[in-house]
Each structure stands twice: as C-alpha cells, then as structure tokens.
Amino acid sequence: MWQEIPYVDPLRAYAPWAGEAWAMLLDSGGDDTARGRHAFLAVRPVHTLTADGAGLRRDGVAIGGDPFAALAEALAAFPPPPPGPLPFAGGAVGLFGYELGRHLERAPARHGSGPAELAVGLYDAVAGFDRVARRAWVVAARPQARAKAAALAEAIAAAPPLPPLPPPPGLALRPELTREAYLDRVRRILALIAAGEVYQVNYTQRFRAARPAGLDPFALYRRLRALNPAPFAACLRFGGGLALVSASPERFLSLDRAGRIEARPIKGTRPRAADPAADRAAAAALAASGKDQAENLMITDLLRNDIGRVARLGSVRVPVLRGIESHATVHHLVSVVEGRLRPGLGPVDLLRAAFPGGSITGAPKLRAMEIIDDLEPGPRGPYCGAVGWIGGDGAMDTSIVIRAITLTADEVIAQAGGGIVAESDPAAEHAEMMTKLAPALAALEGEGRC
C-alpha cells in the first residue's frame, strides 16, 4: 500500500525519530540527482540482525551461524513489496561493517571486529522521498504494517521546521599515527609492491576522541551534510549508543528488480579550488595523472572480476572508465562496472561475491587485506564497509562507508586513507588523506578545519 504525503525535506521528516534506536535515514544531496535523487526513512523494525566479535544475534538473541546466510533467510521470509513509484518499499536497511569480510575471505583479523560487523533492521513500513519531483510517500509492505505507515505519515506531517544548528562540539581528534609513522607505513607498502607481493593497498588511519555527553548524531550529520553534500549520505542509529553519519560519494553495488548490476568504484582524488580556472585545472590534472589512472584501472578490473562471479556470462562491461566526478570538496576518478545477475541468485549472493569493496581493499584483494590488517593500528569497524537497503523484491542499493564518522557509546572516530600504488609519493598520500578527512574534522572541530 502506497500513500502519497505532502513533501517535506527528508531531514525534517527524520528529526522526530532521530533519537530512537534503529531509526535510519538514507539521504541524498549535492548535484548528483541521477544517483542521489531518492531518500528513505525507516523506523521501528520488525526484526534486527546484528553481528560482532561475540557472534550473530537476531532481535538481541544469539543464534550463531553465517551473517550472510541469516540475512538471506530473513529477506526470503519478507513479503515482496507492492510495486510503486520508488525503488525501495520495505526490507533490510543498515550497515555491513568492513570486518564482515572475515566471514568470506581467510584474512586475519588481529584487531577484532570493531563496534559492528552487521547491524541491519527489517522494516515493513518506510517513507520515501523524490527530491527532484518533490514528492513523498509512505508504504506498508504488508497489510499489518498499515497502521505503522499511517503513524509515520502523521509524524512527518507534524514535524516542525528544523532548529538552527548548534555550534560544532569542538572535539580535538587525535590521529593514531604521527605523520612520520604514517609515511613509514606507506613506504613499507611501497616495498611490498616493489617485491611483487601486491599491486595496490588502500591504507587508512583513524582519528579519535572521547564522546562527550549529549553529542547528538543527527546534529553532527546535519553539519557534515552541509559541509559535504553527497549522493549516498546516511544517518543511522543502532542500539547501544552506536551511530553512523556518512557523506559518501561512492556507490558500492546496486541491483534493480530486473537483475541489472552497477558498481561505481572511486580511485583518484584532487581537492576542489575556489577559483574556477584553478578548479578546472585540478580536474584536468587528475584526469591526466598516470598514477591515478593506474590506481583506478586496477580496482575497476577487480570489480569486474568480483561481479563476474555472479553475473551472466558476457554481461559484464565497463561503460565508463576513469570519468571525472566533481563533488562539494573534491574531484574523483570514477569508473562504472555493469552486469546482469545470473538467474536463481539474489542480492546477498552479489554482496558475498564483492564484499568488502575492492576500492577500499586493494589488489589482489586477499593479500591487500592481510597487509591492511598488519599495518593499520586498529579495526575499521563500519568504515570501509557498506550501508544501504535491500528490498523484499530483490533490488538493492549500497554505498561504501567513506567520508563518515562513527559514534560508539564512548568514542568518536573519523577515518580516511587512499590507494597506494607503485607511483605513490608518501607525502602526497598523507595530503590526500587529510583532504578526504577535512569535512569530518570540520563537522567535529569547527569550520576552520575545512
């Protein structure tokens, strides 16, 4: 059952629910209306699936087993949603943390799994927004969810205008590594590349601070979104104080009802310039960079291989190779990989084939993950995982968790890095990491950081 409701800004619609556990906003922003056209709000799930180092749980009760299999089973029991004007009308919404990959690859995980490997809710009532047409709907995926959908519509209609943003919390985040220690680890990766052990490693580090009392994830999300609007943004609340705010520009995997697959790996970054001529020059320099071209091509090939595991023979293609995409603070090199899912397979099979995303591991993937585990000082947790939705009809859209901030019960974590290849310069890699981190630091520390 679809019900059209008066259009309001998705952030305003989310505000009444923002303090609730398992309140999810998959948002969109910026100029990319092809991919960032829709936003979805989901609250009060029917069931939850969570996994961490202590195991897998359904509705908080330990069940054990494989998280991917449990997710596929939960989706199989979910009713196909009624067809309507938006691509998502109920199903799974949530987080697939980077360390969820340990269930797929025989990679070491000496740091454990961080705050979450999996945190997904199953939702039978959602609200959806088309920000181009400025139309909105609520939908009940099954008859018993109609009252919930109606309550969602009433709360959205009654939502007051958003208050002015409070000032940034003024946190002083500290890097886990000094600049020289970071450069040294990049040099160690370069030595491994020179020895022929690996072609590319996506190396990152965390910036951390204690979480002050009263820090509101939604206010933090609003600041981050204002600084860095992105087509795959998200504000997700889980249990136990865990929250994720993300301004990701990168689609991981999408799958439509007809089985069409799309991935959009990003490799190659330059900061935007205020002067238009300088900005155009930065984009042109990125397009002409041999180092960035090589970095992108390696990961595009990796994604072609991953998708090829579950795609129809001959269907995988690359319609865009190393195209320029410009976002609020950076230019990126982006490729597009497409395919058609084989009959009999579904979205969880596609996730299994490609998780974690090649753009945030490296190539070959398993060896890159081993090096990441050896050289990064802690677990990645939500960062470099994926967030998104999987519909009861088998459609899916997910993004890579980058340009994001993780909040645990007692800590605030921002993280960034980049792909290290043979042509990498350690100092330039450190500068690129700080460029990517700037919006998150500005949201947390103050405008002067951006």
Side-chain angles (χ1 to χ4, degrees):
M1 180 201 73
W2 290 83
Q3 175 191 342
E4 187 160 8
I5 61 174
Y7 182 85
V8 300
D9 183 272
L11 272 70
R12 179 175 172 177
Y14 180 70
W17 310 93
E20 281 198 11
W22 297 99
M24 309 292 207
L25 175 64
L26 299 176
D27 194 16
S28 56
D31 298 327
D32 187 353
T33 54
R35 282 159 290 280
R37 177 169 184 159
H38 300 131
F40 297 100
L41 165 60
V43 299
R44 300 182 179 174
V46 178
H47 298 292
T48 61
L49 283 174
T50 57
D52 54 25
L56 176 66
R57 294 173 296 280
R58 178 183 170 94
D59 300 331
V61 178
I63 59 173
D66 171 22
F68 287 94
L71 177 61
E73 181 181 351
L75 285 165
F78 204 83
L86 297 179
F88 178 59
V93 181
L95 163 70
F96 309 90
Y98 174 82
E99 278 79 23
L100 189 63
R102 72 184 179 88
H103 296 274
L104 303 173
E105 303 282 0
R106 295 181 180 178
R110 66 188 179 97
H111 303 297
S113 60
E117 292 177 356
L118 178 72
V120 167
L122 275 296
Y123 297 87
D124 60 358
V126 299
F129 305 83
D130 183 331
R131 69 186 187 95
V132 175
R134 298 188 66 79
R135 298 177 69 184
W137 296 263
V138 293
V139 57
R142 53 184 186 167
Q144 55 266 54
R146 288 178 179 174
K148 189 186 295 185
L152 188 56
E154 289 175 10
I156 292 170
L162 291 171
L165 270 175
L171 298 185
L173 277 76
R174 301 185 63 180
E176 289 187 301
L177 300 173
T178 65
R179 182 177 185 277
E180 188 50 47
Y182 187 88
L183 298 182
D184 177 68
R185 297 191 185 201
V186 173
R187 295 185 192 106
R188 290 166 66 181
I189 293 169
L190 289 171
L192 293 168
I193 292 171
E197 291 198 26
V198 68
Y199 299 112
Q200 181 178 166
V201 175
N202 191 77
Y203 186 67
T204 76
Q205 74 158 323
R206 299 186 296 179
F207 287 63
R208 304 163 70 186
R211 180 175 178 174
L215 179 60
D216 177 17
F218 183 49
L220 179 59
Y221 173 69
R222 289 176 62 199
R223 279 192 292 271
L224 181 63
R225 188 184 191 273
L227 290 162
N228 192 31
F232 300 106
C235 184
L236 309 180
R237 295 292 297 262
F238 306 102
L242 179 64
L244 178 72
V245 299
S246 173
S248 177
E250 182 173 358
R251 171 171 278 158
F252 176 33
L253 296 167
S254 72
L255 177 68
D256 71 12
R257 297 181 182 106
R260 288 184 290 263
I261 302 165
E262 182 186 80
R264 300 181 65 88
I266 288 176
K267 277 295 161 196
T269 303
R270 291 290 188 281
R272 300 292 303 265
D275 175 72
D279 193 55
R280 289 192 296 271
L286 175 60
S289 167
K291 178 261 183 187
D292 291 292
Q293 288 180 1
E295 189 179 339
N296 190 286
L297 180 60
M298 289 178 198
I299 299 308
T300 301
D301 281 342
L302 193 156
L303 262 293
R304 288 176 64 238
N305 179 72
D306 284 351
I307 290 172
R309 297 177 183 179
V310 292
R312 295 182 184 183
L313 186 65
S315 71
V316 179
R317 65 190 193 98
V318 181
V320 177
L321 180 62
R322 297 177 299 221
I324 291 287
E325 256 186 28
S326 298
H327 296 275
T329 61
V330 294
H331 300 291
H332 282 308
L333 279 185
V334 181
S335 294
V336 178
V337 184
E338 296 179 344
R340 297 284 297 227
L341 193 66
R342 289 204 305 268
L345 300 182
V348 177
D349 300 296
L350 178 58
L351 274 177
R352 279 185 183 273
F355 196 88
S359 66
I360 44 74
T361 56
K365 183 185 283 189
L366 180 56
R367 182 63 182 124
M369 292 173 68
E370 292 171 346
I371 294 167
I372 288 166
D373 186 75
D374 184 45
L375 294 183
E376 291 190 3
R380 289 182 168 182
Y383 180 74
C384 287
V387 300
W389 57 263
I390 306 176
D393 57 0
M396 174 174 69
D397 203 1
T398 58
S399 65
I400 296 286
V401 181
I402 53 176
R403 319 292 193 270
I405 302 167
T406 298
L407 297 94
T408 69
D410 52 14
E411 195 170 29
V412 178
I413 306 166
Q415 195 161 347
I420 312 303
V421 295
E423 297 87 352
S424 290
D425 172 71
E429 293 295 340
H430 187 273
E432 180 178 318
M433 174 195 68
M434 296 306 298
T435 293
K436 294 173 178 175
L437 197 66
L441 293 183
L444 290 162
E445 298 181 359
E447 295 286 346
R449 286 303 299 256
C450 195

